[in-house]
Amino acid sequence: MSVGVRKQQAAQTGAELKAAGVRAFARLGYLNTKIIDITAEAGRAAGSFYTHYPNKEALLEALLADVLAEGDAGAASAGHRDDFRDRAAVRWHVAQYWDFYRHHRVVMVALQQAATVSEPFAERMRQMIEPDVHHIAGHLAKLDDLPGDPVTVARMVTTLMGTFIAAADEDESAIDTLTDFIYNGIGGRA
Amino acid sequence: MSVGVRKQQAAQTGAELKAAGVRAFARLGYLNTKIIDITAEAGRAAGSFYTHYPNKEALLEALLADVLAEGDAGAASAGHRDDFRDRAAVRWHVAQYWDFYRHHRVVMVALQQAATVSEPFAERMRQMIEPDVHHIAGHLAKLDDLPGDPVTVARMVTTLMGTFIAAADEDESAIDTLTDFIYNGIGGRA
DNA sequence: TGTACATCAGTGAACGCGCGTTCACTGATGTAC
DNA sequence: TGTACATCAGTGAACGCGCGTTCACTGATGTAC
């Protein structure tokens, strides 16, 4: 076994297909992307795809696994304040979301598209968002002047962050606008 | 010409196909709905569809036209207050949105799905939302303590209303939670 | 009011395109001795 | 170190399914005289 050149190259092709998938999704949208779009983008033959993934959904799953793995790595990052009466604590959470969505934008949008068409992916998406909702709800529960039930408000906050960030362009000043809006919205400025 | 029974029946079948389309979209989602799903729902043969619409997109356009026609009818409805320092004015706008989305939920969601896959529909959707954004921005511009540029904040408000209402269930108490969140968010509680 | 012909909504089987997926083949890597 | 055989990633043409769309046909409505 001479270092396993074969396995190595196969793994690399698999990774190249993932990268090509991301580029194709970015260009055409997940739902409009055909298998040949991905293989062409990777400079490979159509049939090659199936050596690595049984179908397009599996490629998206693989990309999602990468995203989550990376997310876990940075999860315990410093700076986490949990008193939402402190604007800085709110801003920190908004910025986290912002960075995550910016970084994984294409895969997140692809997941959203897959979810509109496939119940399993819709379920997958809910499972990804739910922990965040409850994390935020936990912080909110400590506030006095909340406009409603903590979980409902948390859902509003994550919804707002998710869709607004997806639609916004690179302009980072939106982080502060979002922060202020949310900070006021949850009654921080009492 | 004996009252034009033929034209009348044709028009009715066209309308029945629209209604069947809405039911099919609600059940399967717009993107997953096939032409036969619609004709079967209407109790008609597959080929019949093409007597009335050239394709599924045209049916959605027709449904959209109905929605907009109805919307224009109720547009000048009473109760419109435009001073957003007044919570009631904000609540009125939220309730308007709520009613509109509730009433046309299926078509709105279908449009959203169509937009993820087709640039023309994406453009159509932007055109539908843009007047609302500027309407809201106009009200916001009169406030002092806005968290950012009026149009940006207006976009946040409409985004939040649109996606949150689409996801929420029938529970109307969400109107007040949304209202409070937005009212605080835009700095109303100064 | 009646007859003969024209038009048209609706039918459902058939057609054909697009694309996902398979498969026989190739050439390179791995293994056995 | 060399030879013979096995395995496997990758190729690209071919296959076949699903579904949108067409079309010859039917029966009912409309028109002309």
Side-chain angles (χ1 to χ4, degrees):
Chain A
M1 192 173 68
S2 60
V3 204
V5 176
R6 227 185 227 169
K7 277 193 180 180
Q8 223 173 302
Q9 284 192 340
Q12 167 149 4
T13 305
E16 279 167 11
L17 283 171
K18 281 195 286 196
V22 171
R23 273 175 274 135
F25 295 165
R27 188 157 47 84
L28 306 166
Y30 172 78
L31 293 176
N32 283 332
T33 298
K34 319 297 170 204
I35 301 292
I36 12 167
D37 295 324
I38 300 171
T39 50
E41 183 78 47
R44 300 246 87 99
S48 165
F49 185 87
Y50 297 90
T51 306
H52 304 277
Y53 308 97
N55 47 45
K56 195 171 68 166
E57 289 80 51
L59 181 71
L60 180 55
E61 288 279 6
L63 287 169
L64 216 48
D66 290 353
V67 165
L68 293 177
E70 203 178 322
D72 287 345
S77 60
H80 189 208
R81 296 270 147 61
D82 57 359
D83 181 1
F84 270 23
R85 276 166 303 190
D86 181 4
R87 182 186 180 281
V90 175
R91 191 187 192 283
W92 184 88
H93 283 79
V94 173
Q96 285 283 108
Y97 246 75
W98 178 275
D99 288 342
F100 182 82
Y101 268 69
R102 282 291 132 186
H103 199 183
H104 303 300
R105 184 195 181 81
V106 176
V107 175
M108 288 298 103
V109 171
L111 176 59
Q112 227 162 297
Q113 292 199 5
T116 65
V117 146
S118 134
E119 183 47 43
F121 274 112
E123 179 57 28
R124 205 108 179 32
M125 214 178 155
R126 269 176 244 128
Q127 280 174 5
M128 275 186 69
I129 293 168
E130 212 55 16
D132 288 341
V133 170
H134 286 95
H135 168 102
I136 303 271
H139 295 337
L140 291 176
K142 294 172 194 160
L143 299 182
D144 302 327
D145 245 359
L146 227 50
D149 165 59
V151 173
T152 304
V153 178
R155 229 175 273 284
M156 267 167 43
V157 169
T158 53
T159 295
L160 179 58
M161 291 195 291
T163 44
F164 190 73
I165 293 172
D169 26 38
E170 297 299 327
D171 182 13
E172 299 223 348
S173 75
I175 295 180
D176 279 296
T177 304
L178 252 181
T179 299
D180 285 336
F181 188 89
I182 292 169
Y183 181 60
N184 293 347
I186 61 179
R189 195 177 64 168
Chain B
M1 192 171 72
S2 60
V3 204
V5 176
R6 228 185 227 169
K7 277 195 180 179
Q8 222 174 302
Q9 284 193 339
Q12 168 150 2
T13 306
E16 278 168 10
L17 284 171
K18 282 196 286 195
V22 171
R23 273 175 275 135
F25 296 164
R27 188 158 46 85
L28 306 165
Y30 172 78
L31 293 176
N32 284 332
T33 299
K34 318 300 170 201
I35 301 292
I36 13 169
D37 295 323
I38 300 171
T39 51
E41 185 77 46
R44 299 245 87 98
S48 164
F49 185 88
Y50 296 91
T51 306
H52 303 278
Y53 308 98
N55 46 47
K56 195 171 66 169
E57 289 79 51
L59 181 71
L60 180 55
E61 287 279 6
L63 287 169
L64 215 48
D66 290 354
V67 166
L68 293 177
E70 204 179 321
D72 287 345
S77 61
H80 188 208
R81 296 269 147 62
D82 57 359
D83 182 0
F84 270 22
R85 276 166 303 191
D86 181 2
R87 182 184 180 282
V90 175
R91 191 188 192 283
W92 184 87
H93 282 80
V94 173
Q96 285 283 109
Y97 246 74
W98 179 274
D99 289 341
F100 182 82
Y101 268 70
R102 282 291 131 187
H103 200 183
H104 303 300
R105 185 196 179 80
V106 176
V107 176
M108 289 295 104
V109 171
L111 175 59
Q112 226 163 299
Q113 291 197 7
T116 64
V117 146
S118 134
E119 184 45 43
F121 274 111
E123 180 57 28
R124 204 106 179 33
M125 213 178 155
R126 269 176 244 126
Q127 280 174 3
M128 275 186 71
I129 293 169
E130 211 56 17
D132 288 341
V133 170
H134 286 96
H135 169 102
I136 303 271
H139 295 336
L140 292 176
K142 294 171 194 160
L143 299 183
D144 302 327
D145 245 358
L146 226 51
D149 164 59
V151 173
T152 304
V153 177
R155 229 175 272 285
M156 267 167 43
V157 169
T158 53
T159 295
L160 179 58
M161 290 195 292
T163 44
F164 190 73
I165 293 171
D169 26 38
E170 298 299 326
D171 180 13
E172 298 224 348
S173 75
I175 295 181
D176 280 296
T177 304
L178 251 182
T179 299
D180 286 336
F181 188 89
I182 292 169
Y183 180 60
N184 294 348
I186 61 179
R189 196 176 63 169

